[in-house]
């Protein structure tokens, strides 16, 4: 069975394994099994590619003042104020 079924609103539609597509529309009559077509999104709710002038690069935090380039990686910044209670058994299930 082909895994690419054609073009959708936003490009090719790919499927893998078992796949079901259900189209639901409020204005579709009962027992009307015609394809309602692509969904019409409300104005202003679909993302789009920015076409304006280039933006400034986002600010980055300063590098750590350490001679060891691996210092601080994988370590906690300090003790956390957390209270943890490990579960015991299966109460309240």
């Amino acid at each position: 069975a082909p895994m690419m079924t054609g073009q959708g609103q936003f490009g090719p539609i790919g499927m893998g394994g078992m796949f079901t597509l259900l189209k639901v529309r409020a204005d579709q009559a009962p027992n009307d099994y015609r394809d309602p077509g692509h969904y019409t999104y409300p104005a202003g709710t679909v993302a789009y590619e920015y076409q304006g002038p280039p933006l400034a690069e986002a600010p980055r935090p300063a590098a750590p003042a350490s001679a060891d380039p691996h210092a601080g990686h994988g370590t906690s910044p300090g003790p956390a104020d957390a209270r943890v209670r490990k579960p015991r058994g299966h109460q309240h299930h």
Side-chain angles (χ1 to χ4, degrees):
M3 299 308 274
M4 296 302 290
T5 64
Q7 292 292 320
Q9 269 178 292
F10 304 108
I13 298 174
M15 302 184 307
M18 296 181 71
F19 185 89
T20 301
L21 179 65
L22 176 65
K23 294 183 177 183
V24 178
R25 305 288 190 275
D27 58 346
Q28 193 166 2
N31 299 318
D32 180 1
Y33 298 105
R34 291 176 291 159
D35 183 354
H38 294 304
Y39 178 74
T40 304
Y41 293 92
T45 61
V46 177
Y48 58 91
E49 182 179 1
Y50 176 71
Q51 297 292 327
L55 301 174
E57 189 170 329
R60 306 277 182 209
S66 170
D68 180 4
H70 300 290
H73 293 285
T75 61
S76 174
D81 184 19
R83 298 176 194 269
V84 178
R85 183 184 67 84
K86 293 185 178 182
R88 296 180 187 185
H90 293 278
Q91 301 94 338
H92 311 294
H93 282 221

